Amino acid sequence: CRVGGTVSLNLFEPRYKTLAAIVASTHRLFLYAQSADPRPGDQAVVVRVTNCAFSPDGSARLQGIGIEQVPIASMRTDRAAGMLAFAQCQLSTASADPSMLAAAAPDYTDDERAGAGLGYE
């Protein structure tokens, strides 16, 4: 995902279901990281959610647009949230006020694509 680009994700893993629930019920922002194991210093794109639809099983179809590229300052993992990672970063005032983002390291799919979602807490 790039700034100005669109993203469309089907979130079905427990940690990503948690991510979708957090993002949909709060600020509607998340981070998209290219790395399967994002670390401090890595770049990620802040995505503004334009649509998030939930299925009865809690999975979600999430769509958004990249609004800003940011470096990840620090990270922590939350076991209670299915190993969802939370990343701290600095956003421009044009993007949003919060500076704490939730992050989930992506899993590679069969076609070797990867992406990570991060949302505000």
Side-chain angles (χ1 to χ4, degrees):
C1 178
R2 297 172 197 246
V3 174
T6 60
V7 67
S8 181
L9 302 170
N10 290 312
L11 306 174
F12 56 87
E13 290 184 37
R15 64 183 168 174
Y16 292 129
K17 288 180 183 182
T18 300
L19 172 69
I22 291 170
V23 170
S25 66
T26 59
H27 41 70
R28 299 188 69 82
L29 297 173
F30 71 97
L31 288 177
Y32 189 97
Q34 296 296 324
S35 171
D37 185 24
R39 300 178 182 275
D42 288 353
Q43 295 289 310
V45 175
V46 177
V47 175
R48 182 171 312 282
V49 174
T50 57
N51 187 36
C52 186
F54 289 91
S55 297
D57 67 358
S59 62
R61 175 132 175 101
L62 189 142
Q63 297 171 322
I65 186 164
I67 59 171
E68 180 180 355
Q69 185 168 326
V70 295
I72 296 171
S74 64
M75 295 188 69
R76 66 177 173 80
T77 302
D78 187 337
R79 288 183 185 269
M83 299 307 289
L84 185 62
F86 290 83
Q88 197 167 43
C89 64
Q90 182 68 41
L91 302 177
S92 73
T93 55
S95 293
D97 292 333
S99 63
M100 190 64 180
L101 294 170
D107 293 321
Y108 286 94
T109 59
D110 292 337
D111 61 349
E112 297 295 319
R113 290 180 301 153
L118 316 178
Y120 286 113
E121 219 176 20

PDB file of all heavy atoms in Angstrom, residues 1-3 7-8 10 20 26 38 45 60 78-79 84 87 93-95 98 117 120-121:
ATOM      1  N   CYS A   1       0.850  -1.178   0.000  1.00  0.00           N
ATOM      2  CA  CYS A   1       0.000   0.000   0.000  1.00  0.00           C
ATOM      3  C   CYS A   1       0.898   1.243   0.000  1.00  0.00           C
ATOM      4  O   CYS A   1       1.929   1.281   0.663  1.00  0.00           O
ATOM      5  CB  CYS A   1      -0.905  -0.006   1.223  1.00  0.00           C
ATOM      6  SG  CYS A   1      -1.968   1.424   1.357  1.00  0.00           S
ATOM      7  N   ARG A   2       0.488   2.229  -0.728  1.00  0.00           N
ATOM      8  CA  ARG A   2       1.213   3.498  -0.799  1.00  0.00           C
ATOM      9  C   ARG A   2       0.267   4.640  -0.456  1.00  0.00           C
ATOM     10  O   ARG A   2      -0.949   4.492  -0.521  1.00  0.00           O
ATOM     11  CB  ARG A   2       1.763   3.705  -2.196  1.00  0.00           C
ATOM     12  CG  ARG A   2       2.771   2.664  -2.590  1.00  0.00           C
ATOM     13  CD  ARG A   2       3.134   2.818  -4.044  1.00  0.00           C
ATOM     14  NE  ARG A   2       3.778   1.592  -4.482  1.00  0.00           N
ATOM     15  CZ  ARG A   2       5.036   1.514  -4.844  1.00  0.00           C
ATOM     16  NH1 ARG A   2       5.766   2.585  -4.880  1.00  0.00           N
ATOM     17  NH2 ARG A   2       5.561   0.381  -5.206  1.00  0.00           N
ATOM     18  N   VAL A   3       0.842   5.764  -0.113  1.00  0.00           N
ATOM     19  CA  VAL A   3       0.028   6.951   0.133  1.00  0.00           C
ATOM     20  C   VAL A   3      -0.774   7.232  -1.140  1.00  0.00           C
ATOM     21  O   VAL A   3      -0.225   7.250  -2.239  1.00  0.00           O
ATOM     22  CB  VAL A   3       0.905   8.160   0.525  1.00  0.00           C
ATOM     23  CG1 VAL A   3       0.074   9.425   0.624  1.00  0.00           C
ATOM     24  CG2 VAL A   3       1.629   7.882   1.836  1.00  0.00           C
ATOM     25  N   VAL A   7      -6.535  -0.063  -0.334  1.00  0.00           N
ATOM     26  CA  VAL A   7      -6.268  -1.370   0.238  1.00  0.00           C
ATOM     27  C   VAL A   7      -7.607  -2.049   0.501  1.00  0.00           C
ATOM     28  O   VAL A   7      -8.582  -1.400   0.871  1.00  0.00           O
ATOM     29  CB  VAL A   7      -5.416  -1.257   1.531  1.00  0.00           C
ATOM     30  CG1 VAL A   7      -6.169  -0.580   2.643  1.00  0.00           C
ATOM     31  CG2 VAL A   7      -4.914  -2.602   1.978  1.00  0.00           C
ATOM     32  N   SER A   8      -7.660  -3.334   0.235  1.00  0.00           N
ATOM     33  CA  SER A   8      -8.848  -4.135   0.484  1.00  0.00           C
ATOM     34  C   SER A   8      -8.389  -5.434   1.138  1.00  0.00           C
ATOM     35  O   SER A   8      -7.599  -6.181   0.549  1.00  0.00           O
ATOM     36  CB  SER A   8      -9.570  -4.421  -0.837  1.00  0.00           C
ATOM     37  OG  SER A   8     -10.735  -5.166  -0.602  1.00  0.00           O
ATOM     38  N   ASN A  10      -9.412  -8.996   3.585  1.00  0.00           N
ATOM     39  CA  ASN A  10     -10.347  -9.917   4.224  1.00  0.00           C
ATOM     40  C   ASN A  10      -9.680 -10.386   5.503  1.00  0.00           C
ATOM     41  O   ASN A  10      -8.675 -11.102   5.450  1.00  0.00           O
ATOM     42  CB  ASN A  10     -10.659 -11.104   3.317  1.00  0.00           C
ATOM     43  CG  ASN A  10     -11.495 -10.706   2.133  1.00  0.00           C
ATOM     44  OD1 ASN A  10     -12.487 -10.020   2.295  1.00  0.00           O
ATOM     45  ND2 ASN A  10     -11.093 -11.119   0.951  1.00  0.00           N
ATOM     46  N   ALA A  20      -9.811  -5.324  13.347  1.00  0.00           N
ATOM     47  CA  ALA A  20     -10.969  -4.748  12.664  1.00  0.00           C
ATOM     48  C   ALA A  20     -11.958  -4.168  13.667  1.00  0.00           C
ATOM     49  O   ALA A  20     -12.502  -3.076  13.455  1.00  0.00           O
ATOM     50  CB  ALA A  20     -11.653  -5.801  11.790  1.00  0.00           C
ATOM     51  N   THR A  26     -13.375   2.843  16.699  1.00  0.00           N
ATOM     52  CA  THR A  26     -12.650   4.027  17.175  1.00  0.00           C
ATOM     53  C   THR A  26     -12.450   5.020  16.045  1.00  0.00           C
ATOM     54  O   THR A  26     -13.395   5.528  15.477  1.00  0.00           O
ATOM     55  CB  THR A  26     -11.312   3.621  17.823  1.00  0.00           C
ATOM     56  OG1 THR A  26     -10.522   2.916  16.874  1.00  0.00           O
ATOM     57  CG2 THR A  26     -11.529   2.757  19.057  1.00  0.00           C
ATOM     58  N   PRO A  38       7.324  -6.391  11.353  1.00  0.00           N
ATOM     59  CA  PRO A  38       7.654  -4.967  11.468  1.00  0.00           C
ATOM     60  C   PRO A  38       8.410  -4.666  12.756  1.00  0.00           C
ATOM     61  O   PRO A  38       8.144  -5.262  13.803  1.00  0.00           O
ATOM     62  CB  PRO A  38       6.301  -4.257  11.440  1.00  0.00           C
ATOM     63  CG  PRO A  38       5.258  -5.293  11.530  1.00  0.00           C
ATOM     64  CD  PRO A  38       5.892  -6.622  11.337  1.00  0.00           C
ATOM     65  N   VAL A  45       2.293   2.628   6.253  1.00  0.00           N
ATOM     66  CA  VAL A  45       1.367   3.615   5.712  1.00  0.00           C
ATOM     67  C   VAL A  45       0.118   3.654   6.579  1.00  0.00           C
ATOM     68  O   VAL A  45      -0.484   2.619   6.872  1.00  0.00           O
ATOM     69  CB  VAL A  45       0.989   3.285   4.250  1.00  0.00           C
ATOM     70  CG1 VAL A  45      -0.073   4.240   3.725  1.00  0.00           C
ATOM     71  CG2 VAL A  45       2.233   3.335   3.368  1.00  0.00           C
ATOM     72  N   ALA A  60     -13.924  -9.774   8.835  1.00  0.00           N
ATOM     73  CA  ALA A  60     -14.284  -8.460   8.303  1.00  0.00           C
ATOM     74  C   ALA A  60     -13.669  -8.240   6.933  1.00  0.00           C
ATOM     75  O   ALA A  60     -12.572  -8.721   6.640  1.00  0.00           O
ATOM     76  CB  ALA A  60     -13.810  -7.365   9.252  1.00  0.00           C
ATOM     77  N   ASP A  78       0.451  -7.849  22.230  1.00  0.00           N
ATOM     78  CA  ASP A  78      -0.578  -8.126  23.225  1.00  0.00           C
ATOM     79  C   ASP A  78      -1.097  -9.551  23.042  1.00  0.00           C
ATOM     80  O   ASP A  78      -1.821  -9.840  22.100  1.00  0.00           O
ATOM     81  CB  ASP A  78      -1.718  -7.110  23.065  1.00  0.00           C
ATOM     82  CG  ASP A  78      -2.755  -7.203  24.166  1.00  0.00           C
ATOM     83  OD1 ASP A  78      -2.868  -8.264  24.808  1.00  0.00           O
ATOM     84  OD2 ASP A  78      -3.463  -6.206  24.365  1.00  0.00           O
ATOM     85  N   ARG A  79      -0.712 -10.446  23.962  1.00  0.00           N
ATOM     86  CA  ARG A  79      -1.148 -11.848  23.892  1.00  0.00           C
ATOM     87  C   ARG A  79      -2.661 -11.970  23.984  1.00  0.00           C
ATOM     88  O   ARG A  79      -3.269 -12.791  23.311  1.00  0.00           O
ATOM     89  CB  ARG A  79      -0.513 -12.669  25.000  1.00  0.00           C
ATOM     90  CG  ARG A  79       0.942 -12.927  24.796  1.00  0.00           C
ATOM     91  CD  ARG A  79       1.480 -13.828  25.923  1.00  0.00           C
ATOM     92  NE  ARG A  79       2.892 -13.991  25.795  1.00  0.00           N
ATOM     93  CZ  ARG A  79       3.453 -14.977  25.104  1.00  0.00           C
ATOM     94  NH1 ARG A  79       2.700 -15.869  24.523  1.00  0.00           N
ATOM     95  NH2 ARG A  79       4.761 -15.060  25.019  1.00  0.00           N
ATOM     96  N   LEU A  84      -1.684  -9.488  18.654  1.00  0.00           N
ATOM     97  CA  LEU A  84      -1.764  -8.232  17.923  1.00  0.00           C
ATOM     98  C   LEU A  84      -0.676  -7.313  18.469  1.00  0.00           C
ATOM     99  O   LEU A  84      -0.494  -7.212  19.675  1.00  0.00           O
ATOM    100  CB  LEU A  84      -3.142  -7.598  18.127  1.00  0.00           C
ATOM    101  CG  LEU A  84      -3.457  -6.333  17.341  1.00  0.00           C
ATOM    102  CD1 LEU A  84      -3.429  -6.609  15.842  1.00  0.00           C
ATOM    103  CD2 LEU A  84      -4.814  -5.795  17.748  1.00  0.00           C
ATOM    104  N   ALA A  87       1.974  -0.409  17.799  1.00  0.00           N
ATOM    105  CA  ALA A  87       3.140   0.373  17.412  1.00  0.00           C
ATOM    106  C   ALA A  87       2.905   1.834  17.744  1.00  0.00           C
ATOM    107  O   ALA A  87       1.812   2.349  17.567  1.00  0.00           O
ATOM    108  CB  ALA A  87       3.401   0.224  15.918  1.00  0.00           C
ATOM    109  N   THR A  93      -0.480  16.317  11.996  1.00  0.00           N
ATOM    110  CA  THR A  93      -1.767  16.776  12.500  1.00  0.00           C
ATOM    111  C   THR A  93      -2.827  16.708  11.416  1.00  0.00           C
ATOM    112  O   THR A  93      -4.014  16.636  11.713  1.00  0.00           O
ATOM    113  CB  THR A  93      -1.679  18.212  13.047  1.00  0.00           C
ATOM    114  OG1 THR A  93      -1.151  19.057  12.021  1.00  0.00           O
ATOM    115  CG2 THR A  93      -0.794  18.260  14.266  1.00  0.00           C
ATOM    116  N   ALA A  94      -2.420  16.670  10.158  1.00  0.00           N
ATOM    117  CA  ALA A  94      -3.382  16.551   9.067  1.00  0.00           C
ATOM    118  C   ALA A  94      -4.001  15.155   9.013  1.00  0.00           C
ATOM    119  O   ALA A  94      -5.114  14.981   8.543  1.00  0.00           O
ATOM    120  CB  ALA A  94      -2.709  16.858   7.737  1.00  0.00           C
ATOM    121  N   SER A  95      -3.277  14.135   9.518  1.00  0.00           N
ATOM    122  CA  SER A  95      -3.775  12.755   9.469  1.00  0.00           C
ATOM    123  C   SER A  95      -4.684  12.421  10.633  1.00  0.00           C
ATOM    124  O   SER A  95      -5.756  11.878  10.457  1.00  0.00           O
ATOM    125  CB  SER A  95      -2.606  11.767   9.463  1.00  0.00           C
ATOM    126  OG  SER A  95      -1.882  11.890   8.278  1.00  0.00           O
ATOM    127  N   PRO A  98      -4.302  10.844  17.457  1.00  0.00           N
ATOM    128  CA  PRO A  98      -3.664   9.808  18.261  1.00  0.00           C
ATOM    129  C   PRO A  98      -2.273   9.449  17.746  1.00  0.00           C
ATOM    130  O   PRO A  98      -1.978   9.586  16.575  1.00  0.00           O
ATOM    131  CB  PRO A  98      -4.602   8.611  18.128  1.00  0.00           C
ATOM    132  CG  PRO A  98      -5.881   9.169  17.645  1.00  0.00           C
ATOM    133  CD  PRO A  98      -5.540  10.391  16.854  1.00  0.00           C
ATOM    134  N   GLY A 117      -1.770  -4.888   9.105  1.00  0.00           N
ATOM    135  CA  GLY A 117      -2.717  -3.855   9.490  1.00  0.00           C
ATOM    136  C   GLY A 117      -2.387  -3.317  10.859  1.00  0.00           C
ATOM    137  O   GLY A 117      -1.980  -4.050  11.738  1.00  0.00           O
ATOM    138  N   TYR A 120      -5.704   2.381  15.417  1.00  0.00           N
ATOM    139  CA  TYR A 120      -5.542   3.165  16.654  1.00  0.00           C
ATOM    140  C   TYR A 120      -6.196   2.509  17.831  1.00  0.00           C
ATOM    141  O   TYR A 120      -7.231   1.903  17.710  1.00  0.00           O
ATOM    142  CB  TYR A 120      -6.152   4.550  16.504  1.00  0.00           C
ATOM    143  CG  TYR A 120      -5.373   5.464  15.668  1.00  0.00           C
ATOM    144  CD1 TYR A 120      -5.864   5.898  14.472  1.00  0.00           C
ATOM    145  CD2 TYR A 120      -4.141   5.903  16.079  1.00  0.00           C
ATOM    146  CE1 TYR A 120      -5.154   6.767  13.691  1.00  0.00           C
ATOM    147  CE2 TYR A 120      -3.430   6.773  15.301  1.00  0.00           C
ATOM    148  CZ  TYR A 120      -3.941   7.195  14.105  1.00  0.00           C
ATOM    149  OH  TYR A 120      -3.243   8.053  13.337  1.00  0.00           O
ATOM    150  N   GLU A 121      -5.657   2.751  18.985  1.00  0.00           N
ATOM    151  CA  GLU A 121      -6.186   2.305  20.263  1.00  0.00           C
ATOM    152  C   GLU A 121      -6.965   3.411  20.893  1.00  0.00           C
ATOM    153  O   GLU A 121      -6.625   4.548  20.773  1.00  0.00           O
ATOM    154  CB  GLU A 121      -4.982   2.038  21.151  1.00  0.00           C
ATOM    155  CG  GLU A 121      -5.035   0.946  21.976  1.00  0.00           C
ATOM    156  CD  GLU A 121      -3.819   0.631  22.787  1.00  0.00           C
ATOM    157  OE1 GLU A 121      -2.920   1.438  23.040  1.00  0.00           O
ATOM    158  OE2 GLU A 121      -3.817  -0.508  23.166  1.00  0.00           O
TER     159      GLU A 121
END
